[in-house]
Amino acid sequence: MPVAEWLEDVAGVVRDEPLHRHSQFGVGGPAQWFVRTRDEPALASLLQRCHEAGVPVTMLGAGSNALILDAGVAGLVVRHDDRHMRVVDRETVDVGSGCMMPRVALDCARRGMGGLEFGIGVPGTLGASVYGNAGAFGTELADVLRDCTALGPAGTRHTLGNDECGFAYRHSRFKDELRGDVVVSARLRVHQDAPLAVRERTDAVQAQRKATQPYGVRSLGSVFKNPPGDTAGRLIEAAGMKGRRAGGAEISRKHANFIVNVERASAADVLALVQMAHDTVLERCGIDLEREIVILGEPGR
Ligand SMILES: Cc1cc2nc3c(=O)[nH]c(=O)nc-3n(C[C@H](O)[C@H](O)[C@H](O)COP(=O)(O)OP(=O)(O)OC[C@H]3O[C@@H](n4cnc5c(N)ncnc54)[C@H](O)[C@@H]3O)c2cc1C
């Protein structure tokens, strides 16, 4: 574990923050240090100091896609909480990375700006949604992002156009070459429309989501990416895994690509189920499913 007592003198930084409080699944051990901030210059200088001191930095959004391991996360965990939303012009909104995607969708509907209706189906922050190219019901971030601004691991600010983000299915360069960059804001493309029409489309996405996915229970969204020409949910169901349990975690009976926390599950329970689903589908269907959820932290520390 890194030694950096100076971090405790930085405004807002706390030690041993329980991360299950920041996980929509409700699991995760403590962050060695944790800070929630909306002050970009302060974040840039904190990133620079951590970079120079060799303290690992892990970003956390709304904890809707990240499985935080039971032993927690060494180093500094950062939640960038800038939730601004500014209309730049009739076709562009500028959004802080801490803004929740459903909030972006609803605010745009209210202002008569279409194009971001899919956001109602993504219960996470904009920053993480850029990182993972989140999408729902046929639209993804790559379809609407004009550009985004990020801080490099040493705190340097840079802006990337859509074509520089390396977007692919649930992927961006922030997952590999730009690992360690922090997305701080993005400019998204919208189009003018009647508020009622945008709201109706937003409600239709929400209704479809409620009809097909577990709703009102703790989950991490889709556990695996869909393989070409098929869906992970269909394959896991075909492999007879619906309802399978490990400890307090269960493969959803409503949608087999979701794992739900039914009874004080641990991260280890989730990992056991993920492995079981992966191996069973490989054995019975010959398909090597790739994980969509992100794993943060370490199994032992
Ligand atoms: C019920 C449910 C339904 C879902 N449905 C969908 C869906 O339809 N489509 C879909 O795509 N996803 C879906 N998800 C998954 C999830 O909502 C998205 O992946 C979302 O973009 C994650 O946002 P978050 O803020 O919760 O990220 P977190 O889980 O907190 O973090 C995810 C990753 O992003 C990184 N990260 C966080 N913030 C930043 C930042 N500012 N800069 C750089 N990296 C950052 C983290 O380090 C981590 O690796 C669903 C999840 C749930 C629980």
Side-chain angles (χ1 to χ4, degrees):
M1 284 223 292
V3 179
E5 300 308 327
W6 57 268
L7 263 170
E8 277 154 59
D9 298 326
V10 175
V13 173
V14 293
R15 204 184 169 115
D16 291 330
E17 171 73 6
L19 290 179
H20 66 84
R21 293 184 189 156
H22 303 272
S23 148
Q24 291 188 22
F25 197 79
V27 302
Q32 191 178 0
W33 292 286
F34 178 82
V35 69
R36 192 173 185 140
T37 179
R38 61 182 64 181
D39 181 341
E40 191 192 308
L43 176 58
S45 95
L46 189 53
L47 291 176
Q48 185 184 11
R49 286 190 76 182
C50 286
H51 184 68
E52 285 164 7
V55 176
V57 174
T58 302
M59 291 306 295
L60 188 62
S64 68
N65 194 223
L67 176 68
I68 304 163
L69 296 184
D70 297 317
V73 182
L76 177 68
V77 174
V78 177
R79 168 100 192 239
H80 187 242
D81 219 10
D82 177 354
R83 299 183 187 199
H84 80 259
M85 188 167 150
R86 265 192 304 276
V87 177
V88 178
D89 57 39
R90 288 170 59 81
E91 296 182 337
T92 314
V93 285
D94 180 272
V95 184
S97 73
C99 230
M100 293 293 286
M101 291 299 291
R103 172 53 46 208
V104 176
L106 290 171
D107 276 4
C108 283
R110 193 171 47 76
R111 295 171 200 231
M113 297 188 304
L116 304 179
E117 295 86 343
F118 75 99
I120 198 79
V122 180
T125 57
L126 171 75
S129 298
V130 173
Y131 169 92
N133 188 20
F137 303 107
T139 311
E140 56 188 16
L141 246 297
D143 299 322
V144 297
L145 185 130
R146 287 190 187 282
D147 52 40
C148 68
T149 298
L151 299 175
T156 316
R157 196 172 203 268
H158 59 127
T159 296
L160 293 93
N162 182 306
D163 57 348
E164 295 172 287
C165 292
F167 286 127
Y169 171 49
R170 298 296 174 268
H171 183 79
S172 77
R173 282 174 71 210
F174 295 106
K175 286 193 165 185
D176 44 39
E177 295 153 57
L178 297 179
R179 180 173 282 277
D181 270 34
V182 175
V183 178
V184 289
S185 64
R187 297 196 312 153
L188 307 177
R189 188 180 312 114
V190 291
H191 59 264
Q192 298 291 314
D193 201 346
L196 195 60
V198 186
R199 184 58 199 249
E200 276 173 8
R201 289 197 297 271
T202 309
D203 289 348
V205 172
Q206 179 73 321
Q208 202 178 344
R209 182 180 165 218
K210 282 187 178 171
T212 55
Q213 299 176 358
Y215 193 79
V217 291
R218 287 176 174 274
S219 81
L220 293 161
S222 298
V223 174
F224 296 101
K225 295 181 182 179
N226 289 325
D230 210 333
T231 68
R234 192 200 72 75
L235 289 163
I236 298 166
E237 183 172 353
M241 299 292 291
K242 251 188 176 176
R244 189 69 65 89
R245 273 183 82 154
E250 182 178 282
I251 294 184
S252 167
R253 292 162 198 268
K254 188 165 180 183
H255 190 312
N257 198 22
F258 282 65
I259 290 178
V260 290
N261 185 350
V262 285
E263 202 183 354
R264 292 192 299 280
S266 65
D269 296 338
V270 178
L271 287 180
L273 267 188
V274 169
Q275 193 69 53
M276 220 188 287
H278 172 270
D279 294 352
T280 312
V281 167
L282 185 60
E283 188 190 305
R284 302 208 182 148
C285 315
I287 297 200
D288 186 6
L289 289 176
E290 191 186 336
R291 224 182 40 228
E292 181 171 327
I293 57 170
V294 174
I295 291 174
L296 299 182
E298 43 247 285
R301 100 175 201 207

